[in-house]
C-alpha cells in the first residue's frame, strides 16, 4: 500500500492531500487523491469554497530483473535420451527473501550426437508458500549445453589368405565381420 501526504502552497492558498493506492505484484494500479484540504493565508479552512475534481494517477510496480543459467551435461551416444534433470542457477540479480527458483525439466529430447542448447525450460520463481510469482521477475535465460559424443565402434574383419597370383584376389570368403559398440539392435 502506498499512502503519501502532500502539501502545495501558492501565494493565496495551501492545499494538502493524500495519495493512496495499492499494487503488490508487477503491474499498474490506480493512485487516488484523497482528503483534500485547502486553507487561505490566514489559516482558515476554505475547502468548501472549491469544487474539487481529482484525476487518478498510476502506480506502477516493475518486475525485478534476474539472470539464470540452465545446467549442462554430456554423455557418449547410447541410443537413449539424456536423463539429466535440468537445474536452474541464479547468475545475476537477486530474489526477494523467501523466494526460490524452480522449473526443472528432463533433457529427454537430447538423443543424437551433437551439442544442444538447454533452452526448453521456463524458469519459475516461487514464494515461500509455493505460489508462482514469476510474473514479478524479468528472467533472462543463459542456456547451458548438452553434448552427446560419438560412441566408438570397433569393426573386426576376417583374415583372408590366398596365394600370390599377380591378380587381385577373387577368392571366396566364408568368414563374417564383427562389430562391437552398436546399441539398440543397430547393425553394420
Amino acid at each position: 500500500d502506498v499512502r503519501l501526504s502532500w502539501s502545495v502552497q501558492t501565494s493565496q492558498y495551501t492545499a494538502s492531500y493524500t495519495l493512496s493506492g495499492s499494487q503488490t505484484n508487477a503491474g499498474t494500479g490506480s493512485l487516488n487523491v484523497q482528503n483534500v484540504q485547502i486553507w487561505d493565508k490566514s489559516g482558515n479552512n476554505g475547502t468548501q469554497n472549491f469544487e474539487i475534481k481529482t484525476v487518478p494517477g498510476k502506480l506502477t510496480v516493475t518486475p525485478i530483473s534476474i539472470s539464470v543459467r540452465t545446467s549442462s551435461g554430456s554423455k557418449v551416444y547410447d541410443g537413449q535420451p539424456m536423463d539429466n534433470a535440468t537445474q536452474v542457477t541464479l547468475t545475476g540479480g537477486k530474489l526477494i527473501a523467501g523466494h526460490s527458483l524452480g522449473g526443472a525439466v528432463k533433457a529427454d529430447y537430447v538423443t543424437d550426437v551433437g551439442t544442444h542448447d538447454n533452452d526448453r525450460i521456463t524458469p519459475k520463481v516461487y514464494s515461500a508458500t509455493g505460489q508462482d510469482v514469476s510474473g514479478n521477475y524479468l528472467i533472462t535465460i543463459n542456456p547451458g549445453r548438452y553434448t552427446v559424443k560419438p560412441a566408438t565402434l570397433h569393426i573386426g574383419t576376417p583374415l583372408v589368405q590366398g596365394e600370390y597370383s599377380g591378380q587381385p584376389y577373387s577368392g571366396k570368403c566364408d568368414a563374417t565381420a564383427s562389430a562391437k559398440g552398436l546399441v539398440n539392435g543397430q547393425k553394420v
Side-chain angles (χ1 to χ4, degrees):
D1 288 349
V2 172
R3 198 159 199 74
L4 302 170
S5 295
W6 293 89
S7 179
V8 178
Q9 188 168 359
T10 68
S11 61
Q12 298 286 326
Y13 299 96
T14 299
S16 68
Y17 54 92
T18 302
L19 296 176
S20 177
S22 179
Q23 185 68 32
T24 302
N25 293 314
T28 301
S30 293
L31 191 59
N32 300 303
V33 177
Q34 299 174 332
N35 304 324
V36 177
Q37 297 289 314
I38 301 172
W39 293 274
D40 63 21
K41 287 193 303 186
S42 303
N44 299 313
N45 189 331
T47 307
Q48 72 281 358
N49 296 324
F50 295 89
E51 180 182 346
I52 300 170
K53 294 183 179 183
T54 63
V55 177
K58 290 184 180 180
L59 172 59
T60 301
V61 176
T62 58
I64 298 171
S65 293
I66 62 171
S67 298
V68 299
R69 181 158 194 74
T70 57
S71 56
S72 296
S74 67
K75 73 171 195 165
V76 174
Y77 174 76
D78 62 2
Q80 299 296 315
M82 289 193 90
D83 60 1
N84 297 34
T86 294
Q87 300 299 317
V88 181
T89 305
L90 184 66
T91 57
K94 191 173 166 183
L95 297 176
I96 297 294
H99 288 187
S100 60
L101 282 172
V105 67
K106 283 192 147 239
D108 57 1
Y109 61 93
V110 179
T111 301
D112 294 330
V113 170
T115 299
H116 312 270
D117 282 343
N118 183 6
D119 59 0
R120 293 189 183 183
I121 185 170
T122 302
K124 301 281 186 185
V125 179
Y126 296 98
S127 70
T129 60
Q131 180 182 5
D132 183 350
V133 292
S134 303
N136 293 312
Y137 292 86
L138 179 61
I139 303 172
T140 300
I141 302 170
N142 299 305
R145 303 194 102 184
Y146 285 129
T147 302
V148 178
K149 301 172 187 172
T152 302
L153 178 63
H154 298 277
I155 299 178
T157 58
L159 174 62
V160 178
Q161 292 182 344
E163 189 172 280
Y164 175 73
S165 66
Q167 298 295 319
Y169 179 78
S170 62
K172 188 174 179 186
C173 176
D174 291 330
T176 57
S178 65
K180 183 178 174 185
L182 296 171
V183 295
N184 294 336
Q186 295 172 329
K187 296 180 181 180
V188 176

